[in-house]
Amino acid sequence: MSAALPPGAALPPGAALPPGAALPPGAALPPGAALPRGAGSLAGKVLFISGASRGIGLAIALRAARDGAAIAVLGKTDAPHPRLEGTVHSACAAIEAAGGQALPCITDIRDEAAVEQAVQATVQRFGGIDILVNNASAISLTPTASTPLERFDLMHSVNTRGTFACSQACLPHLARAQNPHILTLSPPLDLRPEWFAPHLAYSLAKFGMSLCTLGLARELSPQGIAANSLWPQTAIATAAISNLLGGAEALRRCRKPEIVADAAHWILTQPSRTVSGQFFIDEEVLRAAGVSDFDGYAVEPGVELMKDFFVS
């Protein structure tokens, strides 16, 4: 018989739900606690994560590291940056402190040869690749007349082309993995004009990532390789918010990256042959997994949260 926590009980941060236990309605599962109801482990898995030196990418890496996963950390920040927290090397140190293994890969995913080099280094170090997380992204929320073509090209090169390039380079190794997954941080394919009119170039680049999910899920289905997208319900406290989208005041209305990481963990531990071609929203994933209290994910609990782009 499964054990159960008392109604309204809360697990402390970082705790795991006891084996066989169920999380009752109203129980709180804070960031870092293990997901309930059969969520598996990423122990022994190899993750290849773009944009993993900070923010959502790092949070996903740390969640996997607590299971004992190995992570290839792709990023461009080799040395401390005045406006960006963390480097590839500090991310690797945090992953190892959390219980995982880490490989620093100073990589610009716009460079095909650099991506291939990172893939080969990962396979040489860890023996393969089980999971690709396409997280790296460039953003410029400018209308058409105010978007230089150089900025347009940057966003498409990083977002859409980078997602395609990393997926293509990892495919031979994913095909040999058990329960292989591609997870892309991109929005649901909702093609309403209001998602495009304010910042057409950025929206095209982000939805290009989602189109990769759509196509890859069908293309790779015979091989049992899952391709899914994940997007936050609310704004997430990242460098983009602090540097570009409102600063400290906007950060108060955000959730922490850990909510996306916990949702990603659930997706990546599902059977790849049955969970594919989906466009997940972080909060919906966690609610379906039994989470009902989200206050622990808020930067400042009680403050009204900002919705993210592309979410009604």
Side-chain angles (χ1 to χ4, degrees), residues 145-239:
S146 304
T147 305
L149 284 178
E150 181 181 9
R151 178 63 59 175
F152 180 100
D153 291 342
L154 171 66
M155 288 189 284
H156 282 72
S157 294
V158 173
N159 301 5
T160 305
R161 186 180 185 276
T163 294
F164 186 93
C166 289
S167 301
Q168 183 183 65
C170 288
L171 277 182
H173 309 287
L174 293 170
R176 292 191 286 269
Q178 292 187 354
N179 205 42
H181 279 264
I182 298 172
L183 182 63
T184 300
L185 278 295
S186 66
L189 279 172
D190 181 354
L191 303 183
R192 282 183 283 177
E194 55 263 38
W195 301 143
F196 291 83
H199 33 69
L200 177 58
Y202 173 66
S203 297
L204 288 171
K206 287 305 292 186
F207 278 92
M209 297 172 73
S210 299
L211 288 171
C212 286
T213 292
L214 184 71
L216 288 170
R218 178 64 63 89
E219 177 185 352
L220 303 179
S221 176
Q223 297 170 263
I225 302 173
N228 294 290
S229 282
L230 175 62
W231 194 247
Q233 175 73 30
T234 70
I236 301 296
T238 63

Side-chain angles (χ1 to χ4, degrees), residues 4-18 22-31 33 292-293 296:
L5 293 179
L11 288 172
L17 195 66
L23 192 74
L29 189 74
S292 58
D293 185 344

Side-chain angles (χ1 to χ4, degrees), residues 110-121:
R110 295 173 294 176
D111 182 338
E112 179 183 359
V115 171
E116 183 60 36
Q117 183 178 6
V119 167
Q120 294 307 317

Side-chain angles (χ1 to χ4, degrees), residues 241-289:
I241 296 291
S242 59
N243 292 334
L244 300 173
L245 304 176
E249 181 57 34
L251 285 172
R252 296 179 60 241
R253 301 178 60 199
C254 292
R255 282 176 172 157
K256 303 169 189 174
E258 285 76 12
I259 188 171
V260 184
D262 284 349
H265 183 276
W266 185 91
I267 296 166
L268 296 173
T269 54
Q270 301 308 300
S272 62
R273 288 190 176 272
T274 57
V275 180
S276 186
Q278 302 298 309
F279 293 86
F280 292 105
I281 299 295
D282 58 356
E283 182 176 322
E284 294 174 2
V285 169
L286 296 179
R287 286 190 184 280

